[in-house]
Amino acid sequence: MLADGRVLTLGGSPPDEFVDGDGVDDFNYRPASATTEIFDGRQAPAGWTPGPAMGIARSHANSVLLPDGTVATVGGGFGQDGSRYYYNWLYEEDQRRVELLDPRTGAIILGAAQAEARTYHSTALLLPDARVMSAGDDINGAEGPGTGITNDTVEVYSPPYLFADDGSPLGADERPRIAS
């Protein structure tokens, strides 16, 4: 839900039984979308309307509304390879990047990439100090099942509003705080 009460949905991929009209069952590859849609309850008869396009197509991503009204999206992938039991959620460097979307203007800022890919079974959470925590994925650890690595990492993203124009961190009294 956006700060003004509208609801934003973004990205995604077709359902499991995706066939694109060529007669071939494309279950083993379901491409992600870069579309967004917005629902405004004050104009409910209009239904869902197209919103600004994302900079990166993603499915199974996580989004968090930030105190400045932008939406931070982290993780996700670009499709699925159903023929693989492990590592079947496909991603590239792009899907590891943080994306800030301003739903009021459609402006997009792409940030740095996370160290770990975070596709299916991941989460993101706004922390009380206005940073974003990102954790989990569809496998345990960076190397996957059977490797002896059984833990995942947590990464914390610091949005641009936590820094002055010269890149220096803002003081505690200048930073947004989540009070309720």
Side-chain angles (χ1 to χ4, degrees):
M1 182 173 282
L2 301 173
D4 62 8
R6 296 178 301 154
V7 177
L8 171 74
T9 183
L10 50 90
S13 60
D16 290 350
E17 294 81 27
F18 176 65
V19 177
D20 62 10
D22 63 3
V24 177
D25 181 354
D26 294 316
F27 175 74
N28 288 340
Y29 177 69
R30 296 183 288 161
S33 169
T35 62
T36 70
E37 293 185 0
I38 297 175
F39 179 78
D40 188 342
R42 298 166 296 193
Q43 300 175 14
W48 289 92
T49 58
M54 298 171 59
I56 299 170
R58 301 172 193 254
S59 63
H60 300 91
N62 297 290
S63 296
V64 176
L65 179 63
L66 301 178
D68 67 353
T70 60
V71 177
T73 300
V74 295
F78 67 84
Q80 178 184 15
D81 181 349
S83 68
R84 297 162 57 180
Y85 187 71
Y86 295 118
Y87 302 102
N88 65 344
W89 299 101
L90 307 173
Y91 64 89
E92 292 177 335
E93 183 74 13
D94 278 350
Q95 284 82 26
R96 291 176 48 218
R97 294 182 72 181
V98 172
E99 179 172 346
L100 296 178
L101 170 67
D102 187 332
R104 299 162 295 211
T105 65
I108 294 169
I109 298 172
L110 295 176
Q114 297 184 95
E116 186 173 337
R118 302 192 188 278
T119 54
Y120 197 58
H121 293 162
S122 60
T123 190
L125 176 70
L126 181 63
L127 298 172
D129 65 359
R131 296 180 302 158
V132 176
M133 179 194 78
S134 177
D137 61 29
D138 61 322
I139 57 174
N140 287 323
E143 302 302 320
T147 65
I149 298 173
T150 58
N151 60 342
D152 280 312
T153 62
V154 171
E155 296 180 67
V156 178
Y157 171 67
S158 297
Y161 56 65
L162 297 177
F163 300 93
D165 290 340
D166 66 2
S168 62
L170 293 175
D173 59 330
E174 301 172 286
R175 302 174 104 187
R177 283 186 291 277
I178 313 304
S180 66

